[in-house]
Amino acid sequence: MSTTLLAVNSRKVFLTLGGGRGVTNAVFRSHFVSVPRRSIIDLSYSTHFMDFKGSSIPSSMKKLVVTKLSQNFKEAVSLQIVPVPTPGDADLLIRNRSLSLIKKLRKGKKRFVGINASDINYSAGRYDTSVRPPFDAGFEGVGEVVGLGLTASARFAVGDAVAYFSGGSFAEYTVAPAKSIVRVPAAEPRFLTLLVSGATAYIALKKLGDLARGETVMVTAAAGGTGQFAVQFAKKAGCRVLGTCSSDEKAGFLKSLGCDRPVNYKSEDLREVLRRECPGGLDVVYESVGGGVFDAVVDSLAQKGRLIVIGFISGYQTASGLLPVKAGALPVKLLQRSASVRGFFLPHFLSDYGEAMADMLRMCKGGELVCEVDLGEMTPEGRFVGLESVFRAVDHMYAGKNLGKVVVELPAVLESKL
């Protein structure tokens, strides 16, 4: 007599097949009515696709949801308890997974999510004006696969460490399309830094910067999540690099990356530094601040200079989303120098994403790339741990206190062995 295994809400129910129909129905009724239904992609292969053997998957989880459009992140986003999603055919289910708890606690595996300046633009509804709340928050994370669809299983398996650039990452569990997933050596925050911050710098400078050896490059907010990578990639291209920052500590960090001239704008005048030390102008600017900084670097562009706008964080917390710039004379300034201003938005360059990630992962694993992470250890309240600390992490970044990429740790969940 043959049997098949029905996995329902992490419980095992055996059904007898090939005879004894009455017994089969009785067994089915006695178990099914008392156990909540849970959708499994293919019941005959369920243990292949959902991590029932390693640990139970709960029915609910925490996640951050945008419930009101606002540039005030705390006002826009709320912490909610929702059902754990089930992956579709081409999806992965990712979470922070711990090892079993049997008599004593064993060291668990962790998951991390990245904080981006654009989280506020997203909560304010600036990227897609047709979208209305509620919708999920967060762009990126790194963790472990605990479930996947049939098509996705051709490339991934339960237990794989992965990084993902996909919406809804501010959650204990995330479903993401397999096509947006990158396999990583381990679920470590350094690999998370590459997903948005690293990829933005890599692709923007390669596709729009046209860097040439010996050119002068300015990186604004150079000690931040993406600035740190722009400095390193410009140096690898053989350029002279200047970088703005807000403290002597950050200036020291930039020097350790090879930055030729850190500029602490809190103690130095940026325009004066550029006039004195860059008489020939700036060949490339990697700009993410906006406002007066944008005006200063525009006025310092060299002939055929290229200014790449990857953001304007100084204005994100305002109602309009940006601070005023002196745009009236911009056409004249660009014409006189045959210069250009080029915008960069990562989702428009996804065809270049795979190549960028592969190259950065190679450099990262080979020790050729510094991936500085700020987990909040130096803040008065301590490390950013748990979804509740996302709000504090966003404030930390917007206060200009971060050194490197701001990352929040989602602690391992303690579960019982099946």
Side-chain angles (χ1 to χ4, degrees):
M1 188 176 294
S2 61
T3 60
T4 187
L5 174 63
L6 171 63
V8 183
N9 200 26
S10 304
R11 299 186 185 179
K12 298 177 181 178
V13 180
F14 288 91
L15 306 183
T16 303
L17 302 180
R21 181 180 301 273
V23 174
T24 301
N25 290 341
V27 172
F28 181 82
R29 286 195 300 270
S30 66
H31 288 277
F32 187 77
V33 296
S34 62
V35 179
R37 297 186 180 187
R38 183 164 181 82
S39 175
I40 303 300
I41 294 162
D42 184 331
L43 293 178
S44 63
Y45 290 94
S46 60
T47 56
H48 293 184
F49 298 136
M50 303 293 280
D51 190 18
F52 293 121
K53 290 184 177 179
S55 57
S56 63
I57 298 175
S59 59
S60 63
M61 68 173 189
K62 295 178 182 179
K63 75 172 179 178
L64 296 185
V65 179
V66 178
T67 56
K68 173 184 177 181
L69 296 182
S70 174
Q71 71 276 8
N72 183 325
F73 192 77
K74 291 180 180 178
E75 189 177 280
V77 178
S78 65
L79 182 67
Q80 297 186 0
I81 306 296
V82 299
V84 172
T86 300
D89 177 62
D91 298 332
L92 304 181
L93 177 64
I94 306 162
R95 69 155 178 204
N96 57 307
R97 180 179 185 269
S98 69
L99 299 179
S100 300
L101 185 68
I102 311 176
K103 294 185 179 180
K104 64 178 182 178
L105 177 64
R106 300 178 183 177
K107 185 178 181 181
K109 296 180 181 178
K110 300 173 182 176
R111 176 172 169 244
F112 301 87
V113 293
I115 304 298
N116 293 281
S118 295
D119 288 323
I120 282 184
N121 282 336
Y122 197 58
S123 70
R126 291 170 181 153
Y127 287 146
D128 185 350
T129 56
S130 67
V131 175
R132 291 290 180 266
F135 53 86
D136 298 343
F139 297 137
E140 57 183 341
V142 62
E144 184 184 18
V145 177
V146 294
L148 67 166
L150 181 61
T151 300
S153 69
R155 293 179 50 217
F156 296 96
V158 167
D160 284 350
V162 295
Y164 55 97
F165 170 32
S166 181
S169 69
F170 290 163
E172 292 177 329
Y173 288 75
T174 300
V175 166
K179 64 182 179 181
S180 70
I181 302 297
V182 178
R183 187 178 283 105
V184 292
E188 298 176 1
R190 61 181 173 134
F191 299 116
L192 173 60
T193 66
L194 307 178
L195 293 173
V196 174
S197 299
T200 296
Y202 185 103
I203 300 172
L205 290 175
K206 183 175 182 179
K207 305 298 290 189
L208 304 181
D210 301 325
L211 298 181
R213 182 169 295 275
E215 289 189 318
T216 298
V217 177
M218 165 64 78
V219 179
T220 62
T226 188
Q228 64 173 323
F229 292 107
V231 169
Q232 294 177 78
F233 295 144
K235 287 303 296 180
K236 288 180 181 295
C239 300
R240 178 193 178 211
V241 180
L242 294 85
T244 68
C245 62
S246 59
S247 71
D248 291 339
E249 178 191 8
K250 293 182 180 182
F253 170 63
L254 291 179
K255 288 181 180 178
S256 74
L257 298 181
C259 182
D260 299 284
R261 179 57 164 95
V263 182
N264 181 350
Y265 64 83
K266 292 289 184 69
S267 59
E268 299 182 271
D269 183 87
L270 176 59
R271 286 181 177 272
E272 178 57 33
V273 171
L274 293 176
R275 277 194 297 266
R276 184 176 66 249
E277 301 191 24
C278 302
L282 301 171
D283 298 297
V284 177
V285 180
Y286 185 82
E287 214 304 82
S288 61
V289 177
V293 173
F294 175 87
D295 291 331
V297 294
V298 164
D299 290 342
S300 298
L301 284 174
Q303 274 193 16
K304 299 182 181 178
R306 289 88 67 195
L307 193 162
I308 307 170
V309 177
I310 64 107
F312 27 93
I313 189 173
S314 63
Y316 290 170
Q317 291 182 302
T318 68
S320 64
L322 72 164
L323 295 182
V325 297
K326 298 176 181 177
L330 184 60
V332 175
K333 294 175 181 178
L334 298 179
L335 178 63
Q336 288 175 339
R337 301 166 195 167
S338 295
S340 60
V341 175
R342 307 174 179 187
F344 179 88
F345 187 46
L346 183 58
H348 296 161
F349 291 82
L350 294 184
S351 60
D352 302 290
Y353 191 78
E355 176 187 346
M357 285 300 302
D359 198 18
M360 288 189 295
L361 281 171
R362 176 191 60 78
M363 288 188 282
C364 186
K365 290 185 288 186
E368 303 173 40
L369 198 61
V370 175
C371 306
E372 186 68 21
V373 173
D374 188 338
L375 283 161
E377 294 98 333
M378 303 306 293
T379 64
E381 300 89 344
R383 288 168 66 96
F384 303 129
V385 179
L387 287 174
E388 295 85 351
S389 70
V390 167
F391 300 97
R392 183 163 61 89
V394 169
D395 288 344
H396 177 70
M397 179 184 60
Y398 271 90
K401 297 179 179 179
N402 63 298
L403 181 64
K405 174 80 174 183
V406 180
V407 173
V408 172
E409 175 188 331
L410 300 188
V413 178
L414 303 183
E415 300 166 12
S416 60
K417 186 178 181 180
L418 290 177

